[in-house]
Amino acid sequence: MNDLQISAAPVSPVDGAINSWFDPIATWFGSIIFFPISIGEISFPFVVLWLIFAAAVFTVYFGFIQARGAKLSLEIIRGKFSSKSDPGEVSHFQALASALSGTVGLGNIAGVGVAIALGGPGATFWMIVAGLLGMCTKFVECTLGVKYREIDENGVVHGGPFKYLPVAFRRFSKPVATVLTGLFAIAILIFGVVGGGMFQANQTFAQVRTATGGDDGFLAGPFASLVFGIIFAALVALVILGGIRSIAKVTDKLVPGMAIFYVISCLLVLGLNFSNIPNAIGEIFAGAFNPQGVAGGIVGVMIIGFQRSAFSNEAGIGSAAIAHSAVKTRRPISEGFVALLEPFIDTVIVCTMTALTIIVANQASYREDLGAGEIGGVALTSDAFSTVASWYPILLAIAVALFAFSTLITWAYYGEQAWSYLFGNAKASVTVFRTLVCLFVVVGCVATFSKVVEFADAALFMCAFINILGLYLLMPVVKKEMKKYLADRKAGTLNDPDTTDAVPVDQHA
C-alpha cells in the first residue's frame, strides 16, 4: 500500500503541468473517498471505520474462525487435502505468496514508522488487533473469489470480485449491478497501472539509486532513470507475459525470501538490543491504553493503529481475491482458510517486527520525532537497522526495491483481470494491457505524477465500499460452505471430489 511518495527524479515541466492539471480532480475525488469523520479530537477517513467494522462483523458471524481455523490453514497450505486433478492454475502456497506480494512492501516499513511517530508505541497494539480482525475479511472475500470463478477452455482462471459482485448485487436491478461491478473493475485497473505499476517502479528506482550512492552513484546521470526504466520494464514483461503461473513462480520464491531476510534483520536488531525488549513491550501496552501526547488519547492511538493495519493488508478491498481465485482446488472455502493467514503475516508478524525494531533500537530519530510524525517512516526503520552495522540500511533499501518489484507484477495481474472484465480476454486485448503496464513502468522511473498516484489511491479504497457491501450480501453462502467443509474434515471426506468451483456464475443460486 502506498504511504510515501518519493520522486526518483527532479520534477520536470511535464510532471509539474500534469500534477497541476490533475490536482483539483484528485483533491475532489479524495475528499469523497477519504471523507473524514471525527471522534473527539481525532479525525480519520470514514473508509477506515467501514473496513474495521466489517472485519468485526465477519469475525463474530463466523465464530472467530481465524482462531479456530489456524491449524487447518497450515494443513491446507502443506497440500494435505489437495489433488493433482484439482482445477486451477497455482498451488495454495503460490496463491498466498502472490497475494502477499501485493501487500507486503513499503507499507510494512515506512507506514509502520509513520504510525509510531504519530501514535507512539501503543499504535502497534491496535494495529495487531485490526490485523487479527482483518483475517476474517480475507477469509470471506477469497472464498467467494474461488466459488464464483470461471475457468476458460485454456485453463485460465477468471475470478475474484468481478465474478462474485454481480451475484451479490443480483437482488438489485441489473443496471445497478453492472455499474457497481464496472466501477470496481475500473478502480482496480487504474491502480494496477498507476499505483501498482508506475508508483512501484518509481520506488524501485529510488531505492536502487540510493543504495548505489545516490547523487554520487552511477544512477545519478541524466539518462539513468530512462535506461533503468527500460531494463526494469523488460524484466517485468518477462514475468507478466506468462500470466499468474509465471508470476506465482517468481513470488513464491521472492516473497518468502525477502520476508525471511527482513524478519531476520529485525531479529538481529532485537538481539543486539535484547535488554530493551521488555521495556518496548511494556511501552506498547501502556501506550495502547494510556497514551501520552497523542491527539485524541486512547481513541486517537487506536485509530492510528487501525488505519495503518487497514492500509497495509488491504483486507476488504477485494484485490487479494483475484490472486487467490487462481488456486487449484475443488473446495472454495479451502482458499478462504489459506487467505486468512495473509493479514496475520502482513500485519501481525511483519508490521509488528518493524514496530518492535524501531522501539527497541531507540535511536535519536525515534525519540525526537515521537508524537510528531514528521520524519519519513523509512528513515526510522533504516536508523534502527543501522544498529546492526553502518552499511545495513543499504540491504534494507535493496529489500524494499525487491518488495516493490513483487508488488508491481502482482498488481499487473490484478489490473489485467480488470481489463479482461471490461474489454474481453482476447489475446490481442491482453497484450495491449501488458504493453501499457510496461510503458507506465518506464514513465514511473523517469518521473512520478504524484496527483495521479493520489487519485489511484482513492480509487483503490473506493473498491472497499463496493466490495464489502457484496461481502455482507454473500456471507451466508460462505457460512454454508464453511460448515460443510468443517463437517467433511471431521468425517475424513475432504478429498472426495463432491464439489467443483469451476462453474458459470449463472448456475449459482
Side-chain angles (χ1 to χ4, degrees):
M1 185 56 53
N2 302 337
D3 299 284
L4 197 63
Q5 292 174 9
I6 305 170
S7 181
V11 177
S12 67
V14 174
D15 201 354
I18 290 178
N19 282 332
S20 177
W21 179 82
F22 218 81
D23 184 29
I25 300 173
T27 302
W28 168 78
F29 188 52
S31 68
I32 296 173
I33 302 303
F34 297 117
F35 176 77
I37 60 175
S38 298
I39 298 178
E41 301 174 37
I42 191 75
S43 179
F44 60 95
F46 173 71
V47 68
V48 174
L49 180 63
W50 178 253
L51 288 165
I52 297 300
F53 179 77
V57 169
F58 296 140
T59 295
V60 173
Y61 183 78
F62 289 97
F64 294 83
I65 191 61
Q66 58 265 63
R68 296 190 294 123
K71 181 183 177 183
L72 178 56
S73 299
L74 297 176
E75 290 176 347
I76 295 170
I77 287 179
R78 292 199 304 267
K80 183 175 180 180
F81 309 112
S82 299
S83 170
K84 290 182 179 180
S85 63
D86 288 342
E89 296 187 84
V90 298
S91 69
H92 287 291
F93 178 77
Q94 288 178 321
L96 178 63
S98 297
L100 276 170
S101 71
T103 58
V104 175
L106 193 62
N108 304 84
I109 301 170
V112 174
V114 171
I116 291 176
L118 285 169
T124 307
F125 176 85
W126 296 111
M127 181 178 67
I128 293 170
V129 171
L132 292 172
L133 292 174
M135 291 169 69
C136 201
T137 305
K138 284 285 177 83
F139 172 78
V140 178
E141 62 189 358
C142 293
T143 295
L144 293 171
V146 179
K147 182 170 180 60
Y148 294 104
R149 70 182 180 177
E150 293 177 329
I151 301 179
D152 66 24
E153 64 277 5
N154 298 314
V156 177
V157 174
H158 305 280
F162 314 116
K163 298 301 180 184
Y164 66 71
L165 288 178
V167 180
F169 299 143
R170 185 180 292 168
R171 64 195 65 197
F172 305 143
S173 65
K174 188 174 181 179
V176 171
T178 301
V179 168
L180 288 175
T181 308
L183 285 174
F184 181 93
I186 291 170
I188 291 292
L189 175 60
I190 291 172
F191 192 84
V193 174
V194 177
M198 186 176 75
F199 178 81
Q200 296 299 331
N202 179 271
Q203 297 303 292
T204 304
F205 177 69
Q207 294 299 328
V208 173
R209 186 174 183 271
T210 298
T212 54
D215 292 338
D216 300 320
F218 70 93
L219 289 178
F223 298 105
S225 59
L226 178 61
V227 174
F228 182 91
I230 293 172
I231 295 173
F232 193 55
L235 292 174
V236 170
L238 287 175
V239 177
I240 66 175
L241 287 176
I244 187 61
R245 299 181 191 187
S246 177
I247 292 170
K249 286 179 182 177
V250 173
T251 57
D252 75 355
K253 297 175 181 65
L254 184 60
V255 172
M258 287 300 96
I260 291 170
F261 163 76
Y262 185 72
V263 169
I264 289 175
S265 299
C266 291
L267 289 174
L268 284 174
V269 176
L270 295 176
L272 290 172
N273 300 275
F274 184 77
S275 60
N276 293 340
I277 293 177
N279 248 0
I281 295 173
E283 286 180 35
I284 289 172
F285 281 96
F289 299 100
N290 187 29
Q292 300 294 321
V294 178
I298 185 172
V299 175
V301 74
M302 185 187 301
I303 293 301
I304 291 169
F306 282 178
Q307 181 167 307
R308 164 59 13 235
S309 177
F311 286 5
S312 173
N313 59 52
E314 298 177 21
I317 300 295
S319 52
I322 303 171
H324 284 284
S325 67
V327 71
K328 291 181 177 180
T329 185
R330 296 180 183 276
R331 307 294 292 264
I333 199 75
S334 67
E335 194 59 19
F337 281 105
V338 170
L340 64 77
L341 292 174
E342 221 181 293
F344 184 81
I345 296 170
D346 177 279
T347 304
V348 179
I349 294 179
V350 180
C351 287
T352 302
M353 291 296 288
T354 301
L356 271 176
T357 299
I358 292 170
I359 299 166
V360 166
N362 198 30
Q363 292 288 76
S365 57
Y366 165 67
R367 295 192 303 271
E368 292 168 4
D369 198 57
L370 193 59
E374 294 174 357
I375 194 170
V378 169
L380 281 178
T381 311
S382 183
D383 284 352
F385 275 27
S386 68
T387 62
V388 175
S390 59
W391 47 264
Y392 213 84
I394 296 175
L395 296 182
L396 173 65
I398 295 172
V400 170
L402 290 174
F403 275 135
F405 178 76
S406 67
T407 299
L408 193 160
I409 59 178
T410 294
W411 269 98
Y413 175 69
Y414 293 169
E416 181 179 311
Q417 292 298 300
W419 178 279
S420 296
Y421 174 80
L422 294 167
F423 304 110
N425 56 8
K427 187 175 180 179
S429 176
V430 172
T431 301
V432 169
F433 172 78
R434 290 172 177 172
T435 303
L436 187 65
V437 169
C438 292
L439 287 174
F440 269 81
V441 165
V442 177
V443 170
C445 290
V446 175
T448 177
F449 303 129
S450 58
K451 293 300 176 182
V452 179
V453 173
E454 286 180 19
F455 180 86
D457 278 345
L460 179 65
F461 279 91
M462 178 186 74
C463 293
F465 292 106
I466 299 172
N467 183 58
I468 286 178
L469 177 58
L471 300 186
Y472 281 139
L473 295 171
L474 290 176
M475 62 184 186
V477 174
V478 178
K479 194 165 192 176
K480 182 179 178 182
E481 291 267 337
M482 181 187 75
K483 286 182 175 180
K484 187 175 190 310
Y485 192 85
L486 293 177
D488 287 348
R489 183 200 183 204
K490 189 175 181 180
T493 58
L494 277 183
N495 288 324
D496 294 351
D498 57 348
T499 61
T500 180
D501 49 14
V503 295
V505 168
D506 288 342
Q507 290 186 24
H508 289 282

